[in-house]
Amino acid sequence: MTEAAATAHALPADAPDAAPARDLFSKFDALIAEREALLATGVRDPFAIVMDEVKSPTEAVIRGKDTILLGTYNYMGMTFDADVIAAGKAALDQFGSGTNGSRMLNGTFRDHIAAEDALRAFYDADHAMVFSTGYQANLGIISTIAGKGDYIILDADSHASIYDGCALGNAEIVRFRHNSVEDLDKRLGRLPADAGKLVVLEGVYSMLGDIAPLKEMVAVARRHGAMTLSDEAHSMGFYGEHGRGVYEEQGLELGRDIDFVIGTFSKSVGTVGGFCVSNHPKFEVMRLACRPYIFTASLPPSVVATAATSITKLMTATEKRARLWSNARTLHANLKGLGFHLGTEAADSAIIAVILTDQQQAVVMWQALLEAGLYVNMARPPATPAGTFLLRCSLCAEHRPEQIEAITRMFATAGRAVGVID
């Protein structure tokens, strides 16, 4: 650089600080004001809960009070499974607390391979790829598969990780009305016949707990020459003969009907991590092209050891599946009988959404349940469809019949006190 060039960009030594033209946080002012107004009414912050102690898959201590957990996604109750915990402890002792590297470099240990082997066996798949989170699995797979000139067609109510995967890539995005086979068909019909197309679906939608008509949607996608991806995060472990998800329950097969299945370890598996399985013959190239896989640290060996053990046990968890479905159907029937407005007409999944009129009613109801000793999730837009406020209940295979009865009583008492039911 010449002296003249350096001088041209120099600032006076005593130059005053320039105030930013616009505070970059000003875009959040409405959200901050909404939160402050809500907390000013005296209710607790539903998004700042701290678990002081977790006693079991269904019980915790919150602010010194024994609390039933009904909002953890611990569907199969694997977090306290003795074999799962033992595997994690053994890996921690043998390999230490972390990998300090990505899967591409030094971050692949014995148990990463074991977890992928377990996934291939569980899904009867040719290929399995483990990510550090389920979010990263969607982010990486979707953004890498569909590129410039391709099209991603997705349900309008898709999870944030799916939308973010679309945003990270360069494909054109087309949305269709939630669970509408007709609208999917119409929008696919408008796309160039020779373009690459990926239809992204979810087996269970996490807010309302409703399921997708995957069989009909996959048939439409195939007719238009599109590949298909199904996110089975909220159905793995208990849907279908082998627990593979809604696609299996509806008679679809990986490779023949579904090209890619995305899942997570943070629900039924009981730990943290994400994955994609596929039978596509070229799938392994994803390890060389997928940025969210390449440029992030791999999971600690203790985590993937717990995942591998849990997945293997879920392959034969028939009794647990039956208990989970029994719990979901019983609580759904109980809450419906009390007069609550629910997200689904029947227990379509292990998620039961109790619909409220507005945020104030939802938070007051949530707090009444928490004070009674029950934790559920309070959900609001943008996580939920526009204008929808709800309490989301997630059943576990380990919920005991007496806990389901206690939960029903708590909902009845709180619902009447708040005016949600008569």
Side-chain angles (χ1 to χ4, degrees):
M1 180 184 290
T2 64
E3 183 178 348
T7 303
H9 295 288
L11 289 174
D14 58 349
D17 292 338
R22 178 173 178 268
D23 180 0
L24 293 176
F25 275 80
S26 62
K27 66 175 72 71
F28 305 116
D29 287 349
L31 182 61
I32 293 170
E34 179 186 346
R35 179 179 181 274
E36 289 177 345
L38 181 66
L39 297 181
T41 66
V43 300
R44 290 181 57 185
D45 187 345
F47 308 116
I49 287 295
V50 176
M51 303 281 176
D52 300 323
E53 179 185 354
V54 180
K55 295 181 173 182
S56 75
T58 64
E59 299 164 302
V61 177
I62 299 175
R63 280 196 172 182
K65 185 179 182 64
D66 286 340
T67 304
I68 297 175
L69 298 176
L70 192 65
T72 67
Y73 291 148
N74 194 4
Y75 298 128
M76 299 295 279
M78 299 301 289
T79 51
F80 279 82
D81 181 271
D83 295 330
V84 170
I85 291 173
K89 287 180 176 179
L92 188 64
D93 289 340
Q94 186 172 359
F95 293 101
S97 60
T99 64
N100 303 105
S102 75
R103 290 291 304 275
M104 286 284 288
L105 299 176
N106 62 293
T108 296
F109 289 16
R110 176 200 67 190
D111 292 305
H112 294 89
I113 302 303
E116 290 177 340
D117 286 344
L119 285 166
R120 280 191 286 270
F122 186 90
Y123 285 97
D124 192 23
D126 294 336
H127 308 282
M129 189 171 171
V130 167
F131 290 79
S132 295
T133 64
Y135 176 94
Q136 282 186 300
N138 269 329
L139 196 69
I141 294 295
I142 293 171
S143 64
T144 307
I145 289 175
K148 188 174 183 180
D150 299 327
Y151 291 86
I152 300 174
I153 307 90
L154 71 158
D155 190 293
D157 286 0
S158 292
H159 190 267
S161 61
I162 293 173
Y163 273 107
D164 290 352
C166 294
L168 184 63
N170 294 313
E172 296 292 326
I173 311 304
V174 177
R175 298 192 302 173
F176 64 91
R177 288 196 308 277
H178 178 53
N179 272 351
S180 173
V181 178
E182 180 183 2
D183 198 37
L184 172 62
D185 190 18
K186 180 174 67 175
R187 294 181 186 277
L188 278 168
R190 293 172 178 170
L191 302 181
D194 59 347
K197 296 179 280 286
L198 176 68
V199 174
V200 179
L201 306 165
E202 293 182 61
V204 175
Y205 286 86
S206 63
M207 285 298 125
L208 297 181
D210 54 330
I211 62 174
L214 291 180
K215 189 171 186 177
E216 293 80 2
M217 287 181 164
V218 167
V220 167
R222 289 295 189 221
R223 190 163 67 247
H224 289 280
M227 301 183 82
T228 55
L229 180 153
S230 183
D231 184 327
E232 298 287 351
H234 292 275
S235 61
M236 178 193 181
F238 58 93
Y239 248 108
E241 180 184 357
H242 302 92
R244 293 170 184 162
V246 173
Y247 81 92
E248 183 186 36
E249 178 78 12
Q250 295 186 11
L252 303 176
E253 293 183 11
L254 183 67
R256 185 192 70 186
D257 307 296
I258 301 285
D259 294 290
F260 312 99
V261 170
I262 294 284
T264 179
F265 296 159
S266 63
K267 309 298 189 282
S268 290
V269 178
T271 182
V272 66
F275 64 88
C276 180
V277 294
S278 177
N279 284 348
H280 195 288
K282 299 179 182 179
F283 183 78
E284 288 300 313
V285 75
M286 296 296 288
R287 299 186 193 273
L288 306 176
C290 181
R291 293 169 68 86
Y293 175 86
I294 298 169
F295 295 103
T296 193
S298 65
L299 288 167
S302 57
V303 169
V304 280
T306 61
T309 303
S310 180
I311 293 165
T312 300
K313 296 193 73 169
L314 287 176
M315 293 179 69
T316 56
T318 306
E319 184 180 342
K320 273 182 175 284
R321 290 176 203 152
R323 288 206 309 268
L324 176 58
W325 277 111
S326 177
N327 286 340
R329 288 165 181 150
T330 299
L331 185 60
H332 189 285
N334 291 353
L335 296 182
K336 185 177 179 180
L338 287 169
F340 285 102
H341 177 203
L342 304 183
T344 56
E345 193 61 30
D348 289 347
S349 68
I351 297 170
I352 300 173
V354 179
I355 312 296
L356 287 310
T357 57
D358 54 37
Q359 178 168 269
Q360 181 70 23
Q361 187 185 64
V363 175
V364 172
M365 178 77 179
W366 170 85
Q367 178 161 297
L369 291 171
L370 186 63
E371 290 174 351
L374 177 65
Y375 172 74
V376 298
N377 299 132
M378 203 288 282
R380 47 153 288 165
T384 60
T388 303
F389 299 88
L390 57 86
L391 300 181
R392 183 176 55 182
C393 308
S394 303
L395 276 299
C396 176
E398 298 304 313
H399 277 122
R400 303 184 301 276
E402 60 268 26
Q403 288 179 315
I404 301 297
E405 292 175 8
I407 291 166
T408 303
R409 289 195 301 270
M410 292 179 198
F411 262 99
T413 301
R416 292 182 182 118
V418 177
V420 178
I421 58 174
D422 296 331

